[in-house]
């Protein structure tokens, strides 16, 4: 996302079993069960176990919630789990789309759930990590942090008045927990990364960063990797929370526009990949934190979390509305394709197909090899285009959405943008069915 001169614009199932100890929910170090966590596995590679259709899918079912769905679905034992900004965590029968249960929290559930050991873990804007029974939705325990908040800064994004501290309307996600080593690890708006015992919710450790942590931690080989709004990517010892290294990315002291992590890392081999709002995709050495390469997007935010497979890294941008594939070893471009609107949602790879949601209410499928468009699905809200928020090319009608840089106009514009059915949610693929949430308040099953 960039500041314009006249206005601001915005964003076949294979199951890998985890080793469980005989007592409690102690989970051996290793990746979480495929499909049961954000980005498909604990390393957040973005690779799905299913095979996405290469031809236009139809809607199998839709499930309505009471507010936008920013959360990305998780799947376990025939159930889709997803949060909604209506404050609820939902369990949905994957075959029929019928509700199995609903767990009420005290705030929007804008993070994605993780399922492990018969429990579902999710963070809510009520400032708590909730652990509920996966079969019944009954609360098992909850852990209170120091409280949630959005990233904020004076004159943020050039909003006026410049002396006013504003919360960021584009800080839309909460941290999604990762489960490893008997611990649930997640970030918080209070600026900490927490690790609590999966069985009881007892605090094992917490680590202080310099600002809000809404990126989702990735786990690999006993290490946790997570970015903060302080512009640092941290590597922590997963057992103790001890800092191993951090890498400082760009800062923007003028208006905090080009800084901070919303993207969550992906770890493959000896490299950790992550996007940043400083308009770069980075590759760092897992052991030392040394930067291996960076790919500049030319001032456009990288909110999406990268997907990594077969020697390529796939990611998308905000203002420039580009989908990129680059070499994982060097960061050199392989291909790029132009989309229509800003992209905050993270791409998913499933059977040679790259799935990418856009904020204009479109979900695109592309050939992962070439980037060629295979098909596109639009929400009804996007097709109706109430308020003329989209142009005929399905780009955002920015003068209509963001008529000025004053704070109220920015917040209203962001809400109008979401009302078009924006896809903030990362697609989940199980078998040949795609599950994804939309800001129109629905969860879709496409096949």
């Amino acid at each position: 996302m960039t500041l314009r001169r006249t206005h601001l614009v915005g964003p076949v199932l294979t199951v890998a079993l985890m080793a469980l100890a005989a007592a409690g929910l102690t989970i051996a170090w290793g990746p979480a069960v495929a499909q049961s966590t954000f980005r498909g596995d604990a390393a957040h590679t973005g690779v799905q176990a299913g095979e996405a259709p290469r031809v236009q899918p139809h809607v199998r079912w839709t499930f309505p919630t009471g507010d936008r769905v920013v959360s990305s679905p998780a799947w376990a034992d025939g159930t889709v789990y997803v949060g909604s900004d209506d404050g609820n965590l939902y369990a949905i029968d994957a075959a029929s789309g019928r509700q199995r249960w609903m767990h009420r929290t005290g705030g929007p559930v804008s993070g994605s759930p993780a399922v492990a050991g018969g429990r579902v873990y999710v963070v809510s804007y009520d400032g708590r990590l909730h652990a509920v029974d996966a079969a019944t939705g009954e609360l098992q325990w909850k852990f209170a942090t120091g409280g949630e908040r959005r990233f904020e800064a004076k004159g943020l994004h050039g909003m006026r008045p410049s002396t006013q501290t504003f919360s960021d309307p584009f800080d839309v996600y909460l941290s999604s927990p990762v489960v490893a080593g008997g611990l649930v690890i997640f970030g918080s708006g209070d600026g900490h990364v927490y690790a609590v015992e999966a069985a009881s919710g007892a605090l094992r450790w917490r680590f202080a960063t310099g600002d809000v942590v809404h990126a989702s931690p990735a786990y690999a080989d006993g290490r946790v990797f997570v970015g903060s709004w302080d512009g640092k990517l941290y590597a922590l010892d997963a057992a103790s929370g001890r800092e191993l290294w951090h890498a400082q990315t760009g800062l923007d002291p003028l208006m905090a526009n080009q800084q901070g992590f919303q993207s969550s890392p992906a770890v493959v081999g000896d490299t950790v990949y992550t996007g940043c709002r400083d308009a770069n995709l980075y590759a760092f050495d897992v052991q030392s934190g040394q930067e291996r390469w960076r790919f500049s997007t030319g001032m456009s935010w990288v909110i999406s979390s990268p997907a990594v497979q077969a020697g390529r890294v796939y990611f998308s941008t905000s203002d420039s509305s580009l989908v990129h594939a680059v070499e994982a070893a060097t960061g050199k471009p392989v291909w790029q394709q132009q989309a229509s609107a800003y992209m905050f949602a993270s791409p998913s790879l499933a059977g040679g197909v790259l799935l990418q949601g856009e904020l204009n209410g479109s979900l695109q499928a592309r050939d992962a090899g070439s980037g060629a468009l295979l098909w596109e699905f639009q929400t009804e809200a996007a097709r109706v285009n109430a308020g003329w928020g989209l142009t005929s090319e399905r780009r955002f009608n920015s003068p209509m959405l963001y008529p000025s840089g004053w704070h109220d106009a920015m917040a209203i514009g962001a809400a109008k943008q979401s009302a078009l059915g924006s896809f903030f949610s990362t697609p989940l693929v199980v078998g040949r069915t795609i599950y994804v949430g939309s800001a129109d308040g629905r969860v879709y099953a496409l096949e």
Side-chain angles (χ1 to χ4, degrees), residues 236-388:
L236 309 176
D237 179 81
S240 67
R242 177 176 58 90
E243 180 179 331
L244 303 173
W245 54 257
H246 73 259
Q248 179 70 63
T249 60
L251 296 173
D252 181 356
L254 179 62
M255 54 186 174
N257 179 267
Q258 296 281 300
Q259 73 173 70
F261 284 97
Q262 289 175 276
S263 174
S264 300
V267 189
V268 177
D270 60 0
T271 307
V272 54
Y273 306 91
T274 188
C276 186
R277 284 211 333 192
D278 71 356
N280 289 288
L281 181 82
Y282 290 93
F284 296 102
D285 182 88
V286 163
Q287 297 295 327
S288 67
Q290 180 178 356
E291 182 180 319
R292 292 186 162 174
W293 53 257
R294 71 174 71 181
F295 181 95
S296 173
T297 66
M299 301 298 289
S300 193
W301 292 351
V302 185
I303 306 300
S304 68
S305 304
V308 188
Q309 188 178 48
R312 292 183 179 181
V313 182
Y314 302 84
F315 67 99
S316 54
T317 65
S318 59
D319 277 35
S320 58
S321 305
L322 291 170
V323 183
H324 292 275
V326 300
E327 292 181 358
T330 64
K332 293 182 179 179
V334 177
W335 56 253
Q336 72 174 35
Q337 296 288 349
Q338 183 70 59
S340 299
Y342 322 133
M343 288 169 284
F344 280 25
S346 301
S348 292
L349 289 163
V353 175
L354 182 74
L355 298 172
Q356 176 67 62
E358 297 183 79
L359 296 190
N360 65 355
S362 297
L363 176 66
Q364 293 188 337
R366 295 183 178 274
D367 180 82
S370 66
L373 184 66
L374 301 173
W375 53 261
E376 189 170 20
F377 169 79
Q378 281 186 284
T379 64
E380 181 64 21
R383 289 192 292 267
V384 171
N385 193 20
W388 299 99

Side-chain angles (χ1 to χ4, degrees), residues 136-299:
T136 66
E138 180 182 353
L139 180 68
Q140 302 293 292
W141 53 258
K142 54 186 174 182
F143 174 85
T145 69
E148 269 301 339
R149 66 179 180 91
R150 289 184 175 181
F151 174 67
E152 59 188 31
K154 283 189 176 181
L156 180 66
H157 309 319
M159 288 189 285
R160 299 191 298 274
S162 61
T163 55
Q164 178 73 53
T165 298
F166 298 111
S167 61
D168 194 334
F170 306 110
D171 180 11
V172 296
Y173 297 107
L174 289 177
S175 183
S176 303
V178 64
V179 184
L183 301 178
V184 185
I185 304 169
F186 64 100
S188 170
D190 69 5
H192 291 86
V193 182
Y194 289 90
V196 301
E197 294 182 2
S200 65
L203 178 66
R204 180 74 64 85
W205 56 257
R206 70 175 183 177
F207 175 83
T209 77
D211 215 315
V212 168
V213 184
H214 282 162
S216 302
Y219 166 83
D221 297 327
R223 298 184 176 210
V224 173
F225 304 88
V226 64
S228 168
W229 280 100
D230 63 7
K232 295 177 181 178
L233 178 72
Y234 294 90
L236 309 176
D237 179 81
S240 67
R242 177 176 58 90
E243 180 179 331
L244 303 173
W245 54 257
H246 73 259
Q248 179 70 63
T249 60
L251 296 173
D252 181 356
L254 179 62
M255 54 186 174
N257 179 267
Q258 296 281 300
Q259 73 173 70
F261 284 97
Q262 289 175 276
S263 174
S264 300
V267 189
V268 177
D270 60 0
T271 307
V272 54
Y273 306 91
T274 188
C276 186
R277 284 211 333 192
D278 71 356
N280 289 288
L281 181 82
Y282 290 93
F284 296 102
D285 182 88
V286 163
Q287 297 295 327
S288 67
Q290 180 178 356
E291 182 180 319
R292 292 186 162 174
W293 53 257
R294 71 174 71 181
F295 181 95
S296 173
T297 66
M299 301 298 289

Side-chain angles (χ1 to χ4, degrees), residues 88 102 118 195 250 272 369:
N88 293 313
M102 177 185 76
V272 54

